[in-house]
Amino acid sequence: MKKFEAFLNNNLLPLSAKMQNNNILGALSEGFIRTSPATIGSAFILILANFPIPAWLKWLQDMNLAPGLAAVSNASIGLMGLFAVYNIAYAYANRLGVHSQNAGLISLASYFILIPQQVVTHVNDGGKWVESTVNAVKFDYLGGQGIFVGMIVAIGITKLYSILSKKNFTIKLPASVPPMVSDSLAPTFIVTTIFLFVCAIRIAFSFTDFGDIFTFITEMISAPLNSLMANPVSMIFIQVLIAFLWFFGIHNAVLSGPLSAVTLTMMTANIDAYTNGSTLPFAMASLVYGVCGAAGNALGLVICLFFSKSARYKEMFKLGALPTIFNITEPLNFGIPTVMNPIFFLPLVLSPLVAGFVSWGLMSTILPIPYNPTAEAIPWTTPGFVKFSLIGNWQFLLIYIIITAIVALIWFPFVKVADMKELQEEMKNK
């Protein structure tokens, strides 16, 4: 273990330092860290709004409290794309030596220019439901599905703003003009140029089959999933892909369309067969998919953080442990962060790979699971130890415990190295 930790110290830490010193990669990492107050602050309310007890959820609906709690989620995690755009642009502008607030606002406006701004709905017209187009923006583009586009916009627009600013493509105002007014008016020509450029991109995509850049990115990323068969190998591949994309800040919401098509098909087919007393067609695929865990099996990461010594990682354990137990991993992914952090790339993608194949092997040999697919429909915030017990009795719970322990071992040396680095930095700053 010590040799492996020495290898990580000698190889990954220098790589991490190089990434942080790189303007683009450092800005991405800093930008995601800056979004963490919103995700951490809302995570506990999200647990309250989705606490996996049917009677509690029904009471929230009956008391009309559910919409209010949902609004908190929509205004925080549901707007992650917006937060990412502004904060990444802000961080990148600081590194380029240009006005950071202007860069953030211009990037944010450019992001909205690219977003589809009409929604097709249905209205009752004389007793008949007819289609109607309204001017509106879907939350889909503002949250996880928009983060990747937001990263591109923030970096690209800020770089363009920097180039034009340094070429003095600005309005010259007298020295007597207050700085606040001068900073606001000086980039007028720059903003006009940037907005025309972004508008041209929007119009260009409108002439394609995709219609907009968001659909283009989503379909390009999700294309490999559309042709996958529902079997254990493909389920492992999907979870590894999700973890891989998470490293680059791409939320698994981008894959929600094709993923839902696969997982819902498996679930309904299994339930139909179960109620009819037939052989479950996708039993092993569903079980393996559930064990793999999204975002690198974050519970293993939480266990490792429990043993951390740096103040920063101790606080991340306190803030991230409870949300992670309820399957809310954004506070850890954006707060540590695991996003764009080379130290955590290997455990992030290796965890679902190992978890998938080990659980598949156990369930195929010494620990067959009495699978009850009807329990798959319970709320997504149900803690793993409860959900796995309902789905496959003590056998599946035991596999969950074994896999969690293995994943914690995978994360441990990487967390230890990162923790020691943070501890050294904290000691220097005292």
Side-chain angles (χ1 to χ4, degrees):
M1 180 65 76
K2 289 185 178 180
K3 289 183 178 180
F4 186 59
E5 290 176 9
F7 171 81
L8 296 180
N9 274 303
N10 295 331
N11 293 274
L12 288 186
L13 286 182
L15 177 61
S16 178
K18 288 181 180 179
M19 288 185 66
Q20 291 299 320
N21 291 329
N22 179 277
N23 283 338
I24 294 177
L25 298 178
L28 289 172
S29 179
E30 180 184 341
F32 282 118
I33 292 175
R34 286 178 176 274
T35 66
S36 59
T39 57
I40 292 173
S42 65
F44 300 100
I45 299 175
L46 190 58
I47 294 172
L48 185 67
N50 297 276
F51 201 75
I53 297 178
W56 168 257
L57 296 176
K58 184 178 184 303
W59 182 79
L60 290 179
Q61 291 289 346
D62 293 343
M63 298 299 293
N64 200 32
L65 299 176
L69 294 174
V72 176
S73 174
N74 289 335
S76 52
I77 295 175
L79 297 180
M80 278 300 301
L82 296 186
F83 301 151
V85 171
Y86 183 85
N87 285 297
I88 291 171
Y90 187 98
Y92 190 37
N94 276 335
R95 291 167 183 264
L96 296 178
V98 293
H99 198 287
S100 53
Q101 289 182 329
N102 282 351
L105 290 173
I106 296 167
S107 297
L108 201 56
S110 299
Y111 183 66
F112 268 100
I113 292 173
L114 294 173
I115 292 176
Q117 297 176 10
Q118 289 186 327
V119 176
V120 177
T121 184
H122 291 82
V123 296
N124 194 317
D125 183 13
K128 293 183 179 180
W129 289 98
V130 296
E131 282 192 358
S132 176
T133 301
V134 297
N135 293 324
V137 172
K138 287 185 177 180
F139 265 96
D140 295 352
Y141 302 110
L142 308 179
Q145 292 189 41
I147 287 180
F148 188 63
V149 174
M151 291 164 56
I152 297 172
V153 169
I155 295 298
I157 296 302
T158 302
K159 182 63 176 179
L160 183 56
Y161 172 68
S162 173
I163 292 171
L164 295 176
S165 294
K166 291 176 181 178
K167 289 186 178 294
N168 295 318
F169 196 61
T170 56
I171 297 176
K172 301 296 182 180
L173 297 173
S176 59
V177 176
M180 180 179 67
V181 178
S182 178
D183 289 342
S184 300
L185 296 179
T188 300
F189 293 151
I190 296 176
V191 176
T192 301
T193 302
I194 290 174
F195 284 178
L196 284 173
F197 172 69
V198 176
C199 183
I201 294 175
R202 177 192 173 97
I203 292 171
F205 271 100
S206 71
F207 287 107
T208 67
D209 293 336
F210 301 104
D212 60 82
I213 190 173
F214 293 87
T215 304
F216 169 75
I217 294 293
T218 299
E219 292 195 12
M220 289 299 100
I221 292 176
S222 63
L225 303 184
N226 293 328
S227 58
L228 285 178
M229 297 294 291
N231 58 61
V233 174
S234 64
M235 295 299 101
I236 295 171
F237 168 78
I238 287 173
Q239 291 288 23
V240 172
L241 177 62
I242 289 173
F244 178 80
L245 294 177
W246 256 117
F247 177 78
F248 295 98
I250 303 174
H251 197 284
N252 52 278
V254 171
L255 304 176
S256 59
L259 273 182
S260 297
V262 174
T263 56
L264 288 176
T265 298
M266 290 194 306
M267 185 175 71
T268 54
N270 284 334
I271 291 175
D272 288 342
Y274 182 81
T275 55
N276 294 326
S278 306
T279 301
L280 277 60
F282 303 113
M284 189 59 72
S286 295
L287 291 169
V288 168
Y289 179 77
V291 174
C292 282
N297 288 71
L299 188 58
L301 171 57
V302 167
I303 292 172
C304 296
L305 289 175
F306 176 77
F307 299 98
S308 59
K309 297 180 180 179
S310 65
R312 176 185 171 188
Y313 279 16
K314 285 181 178 178
E315 287 303 312
M316 284 311 306
F317 170 77
K318 295 176 184 177
L319 294 171
L322 185 60
T324 300
I325 290 173
F326 287 90
N327 304 311
I328 301 169
T329 61
E330 284 84 355
L332 283 183
N333 288 325
F334 294 120
I336 286 182
T338 59
V339 174
M340 300 301 295
N341 190 337
I343 297 176
F344 294 135
F345 176 77
L346 279 177
L348 193 63
V349 299
L350 193 60
S351 294
L353 183 67
V354 173
F357 280 106
V358 170
S359 62
W360 186 12
L362 289 173
M363 289 184 286
S364 301
T365 54
I366 60 175
L367 275 174
I369 304 300
Y371 180 37
N372 177 5
T374 60
E376 294 276 14
I378 60 179
W380 62 274
T381 48
T382 304
F385 60 88
V386 176
K387 183 175 182 178
F388 280 60
S389 299
L390 295 173
I391 291 174
N393 294 340
W394 67 267
Q395 294 97 322
F396 206 24
L397 175 60
L398 179 58
I399 286 179
Y400 175 71
I401 294 171
I402 293 171
I403 294 302
T404 301
I406 292 173
V407 168
L409 290 175
I410 293 173
W411 277 100
F412 185 75
F414 299 92
V415 174
K416 185 175 180 181
V417 167
D419 179 48
M420 291 306 296
K421 178 190 173 187
E422 285 296 324
L423 184 62
Q424 291 171 3
E425 291 294 325
E426 291 171 2
M427 296 298 291
K428 286 180 183 178
N429 296 327
K430 280 188 177 180

